């Protein structure tokens, strides 16, 4: 029975799960080979690949029928130009990966800032304002995700993130956010309005104000940081690798690979066709991977930059911090009278 399960899993093509962080293992090599024909990369480059395979068939047929009249290009030109092509592919892929990695670092900074807000808000704000601020802290990463994945024009309730985030908005806040194209900036604007309310310092004496000032400074600093991180993510989304660079690489690669059959046909005969197919598949795949990771928020399948996971982590940690410090559920906040009768730190005991 164990052998049967092992054999079944061996020949089962793995499916991606966007909610799970997938990592490559060296033992996956056979599954990766087995899933080659259904890979997303192969589908995207299939037209270009078939074009070059057709040229290879024509070149091989020409050589077989009329070897004396065949256009033999020799190996010198492709040997010399192949080094330049390799460098172009490497630079293109590296520049695209830098954009992917920068996106991950910016999302990591968003997590740090939101955790700082969730930690400081209960200590620096009155309970009702702290709860309202915490709800906006939960909402922010989901609004950032919606904005960066090209859904900013949609209403929040029409997005796939609605079940996760709608419980943290009231009707007025939802109308404000839907009125913005940049929904994360709408949430940050609401946060600033909360920090500027007179109720923040109402009824406090000088000693209480001085005690809470450091926490309030942390709140304002982290809100400013979220503004900066939003702008950085928008820069990655809105400023791709220069089009002239991508076009030149595409033209160079197309001409180089289209003339390669006239080098290999005299050397390999009909075997040049599968050889050309393998060479073009490897080169075109590298180029296409660069195009995909160049747009980390919308170009990669299954949310590989993990915007959903980042939002869920912030939601989990913020809800847990508020439950510990104020004893409230941010999705169903208590009334003012209920807060007055609740202990300040119900979950903390030493």
């Amino acid at each position: 029975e164990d052998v049967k399960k092992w054999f079944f899993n061996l020949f089962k093509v793995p499916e991606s799960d966007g909610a799970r962080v997938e990592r490559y293992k060296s033992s996956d090599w056979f599954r990766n080979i087995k899933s080659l024909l259904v890979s997303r990369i192969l589908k995207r480059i299939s037209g270009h690949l078939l074009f070059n395979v057709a040229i290879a068939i024509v070149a091989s047929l020409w050589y077989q029928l009329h070897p004396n009249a065949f256009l033999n290009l020799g190996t010198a030109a492709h040997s010399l130009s192949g080094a330049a092509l390799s460098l172009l592919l490497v630079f293109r892929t590296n520049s695209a990966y830098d954009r992917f990695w920068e996106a991950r670092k910016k999302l990591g900074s968003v997590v740090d800032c939101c955790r700082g807000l969730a930690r400081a808000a209960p200590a620096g704000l009155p309970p009702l304002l702290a709860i309202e601020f915490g709800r906006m802290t939960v909402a922010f990463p989901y609004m950032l995700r919606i904005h960066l994945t090209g859904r900013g024009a949609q209403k929040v309730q029409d997005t796939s993130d609605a079940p996760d985030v709608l419980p943290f908005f009231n009707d007025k806040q939802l109308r404000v956010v839907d009125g913005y194209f940049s929904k994360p900036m709408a949430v940050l604007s609401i946060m600033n309005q909360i920090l500027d309310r007179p109720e923040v310092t109402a009824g406090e004496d000088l000693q209480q104000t001085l005690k809470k000032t450091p926490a309030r400074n942390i709140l304002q600093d982290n809100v400013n940081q979220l503004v900066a991180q939003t702008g950085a993510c928008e820069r990655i989304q809105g400023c791709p690798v220069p089009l002239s660079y991508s076009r030149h690489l595409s033209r160079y690669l197309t001409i180089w690979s289209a003339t390669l059959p006239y080098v290999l046909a005299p050397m390999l005969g009909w075997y040049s066709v599968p050889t050309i197919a393998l060479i073009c598949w490897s080169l075109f795949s590298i180029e296409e991977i660069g195009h995909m990771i160049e747009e980390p928020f919308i170009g990669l399948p299954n949310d590989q930059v993990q915007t959903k996971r980042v939002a869920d982590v912030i939601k989990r940690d913020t809800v847990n911090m508020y439950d510990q410090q104020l004893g409230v559920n941010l999705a169903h906040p208590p009334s003012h009278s209920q807060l007055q009768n609740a202990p300040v730190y119900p979950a903390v005991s030493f």
Side-chain angles (χ1 to χ4, degrees):
E1 186 66 26
D2 291 338
V3 173
K4 180 191 260 186
K5 289 182 180 179
W6 176 86
F7 190 79
F8 175 78
N9 291 330
L10 183 65
F11 285 93
K12 181 182 178 182
V13 176
E15 296 182 356
S16 298
D17 181 6
R20 180 167 50 92
V21 181
E22 295 188 9
R23 301 184 186 276
Y24 175 78
K25 303 187 295 293
S26 58
S27 58
D28 291 338
W29 67 270
F30 186 74
R31 290 187 178 183
N32 293 332
I33 292 295
K34 179 164 50 69
S35 62
L36 173 61
L37 295 180
V38 295
S39 71
R40 185 175 283 104
I41 296 293
L42 183 60
K43 292 178 181 178
R44 292 171 67 109
I45 66 171
S46 58
H48 200 180
L49 183 60
L50 290 174
F51 171 76
N52 282 271
V53 170
I55 292 179
I57 294 174
V58 170
S60 298
L61 185 62
W62 184 6
Y63 178 74
Q64 295 296 327
L65 296 178
H66 305 285
N68 295 329
F70 183 75
L71 179 63
N72 191 340
L73 297 181
T75 60
H78 280 76
S79 298
L80 293 173
S81 60
L85 177 62
S86 300
L87 289 175
L88 281 174
L89 284 172
V90 169
F91 291 154
R92 177 68 179 83
T93 306
N94 283 348
S95 63
Y97 185 77
D98 285 343
R99 292 166 58 83
F100 172 83
W101 188 241
E102 185 180 5
R104 284 296 303 134
K105 290 192 292 184
K106 296 305 178 184
L107 291 176
S109 298
V110 169
V111 174
D112 294 339
C113 290
C114 288
R115 283 173 172 165
L117 294 176
R119 177 181 58 86
L125 297 175
L128 282 178
L129 292 183
I131 291 171
E132 189 175 353
F133 195 90
R135 286 158 67 88
M136 293 300 99
T137 302
V138 172
F140 174 78
Y142 289 101
M143 297 302 100
L144 182 63
R145 164 178 157 79
I146 290 172
H147 181 61
L148 295 177
T149 52
R151 298 174 293 162
Q154 297 182 28
K155 292 185 177 181
V156 175
Q157 62 186 8
D158 296 332
T159 66
S160 59
D161 297 292
D164 295 310
V165 74
L166 282 181
F168 299 91
F169 282 120
N170 60 38
D171 293 339
K172 181 179 178 181
Q173 291 167 343
L174 192 59
R175 286 195 299 271
V176 171
V177 171
D178 283 336
Y180 275 69
F181 178 79
S182 178
K183 289 177 169 53
M185 292 306 300
V187 173
L188 294 175
S189 177
I190 294 174
M191 287 181 173
N192 271 329
Q193 291 173 349
I194 294 173
L195 295 177
D196 289 340
R197 287 184 187 176
E199 299 96 308
V200 172
T201 57
E204 292 182 354
D205 56 27
L206 180 59
Q207 184 177 2
Q208 290 175 321
T209 301
L210 291 176
K211 182 179 179 181
K212 293 185 177 182
T213 296
R216 291 168 183 167
N217 289 337
I218 291 175
L219 294 177
Q220 190 61 64
D221 289 342
N222 279 280
V223 169
N224 293 339
Q225 282 295 318
L226 289 178
V227 173
Q229 301 306 332
T230 300
C233 290
E234 289 175 336
R235 172 173 52 81
I236 296 172
Q237 180 198 40
C239 184
V241 173
L243 188 59
S244 57
Y245 187 95
S246 298
R247 282 178 172 172
H248 177 70
L249 175 59
S250 178
R251 291 163 181 161
Y252 192 165
L253 181 58
T254 299
I255 295 173
W256 190 90
S257 59
T259 54
L260 186 60
Y262 297 94
V263 177
L264 297 183
M267 302 167 58
L268 302 177
W270 286 110
Y271 290 107
S272 64
V273 176
T275 303
I276 291 293
L278 287 174
I279 293 174
C280 291
W281 166 75
S282 62
L283 295 178
F284 296 166
S285 296
I286 294 173
E287 182 194 25
E288 189 60 33
I289 289 171
H291 289 310
M292 292 177 67
I293 64 177
E294 175 190 341
E295 300 291 345
F297 299 114
I298 59 177
L300 292 171
N302 302 319
D303 190 26
Q304 292 183 38
V305 80
Q306 298 293 313
T307 57
K308 180 65 165 63
R309 180 172 175 269
V310 164
D312 289 341
V313 166
I314 292 172
K315 176 183 176 180
R316 178 200 65 197
D317 292 346
T318 303
V319 169
N320 289 342
M321 287 184 190
Y322 270 77
D323 181 51
Q324 180 192 28
Q325 296 191 45
L326 295 179
V328 299
N329 182 354
L330 284 178
H332 306 286
S335 64
H336 181 65
S337 59
Q338 290 174 320
L339 279 174
Q340 287 180 326
N341 297 326
V344 178
Y345 299 105
V348 179
S349 59
F350 298 98

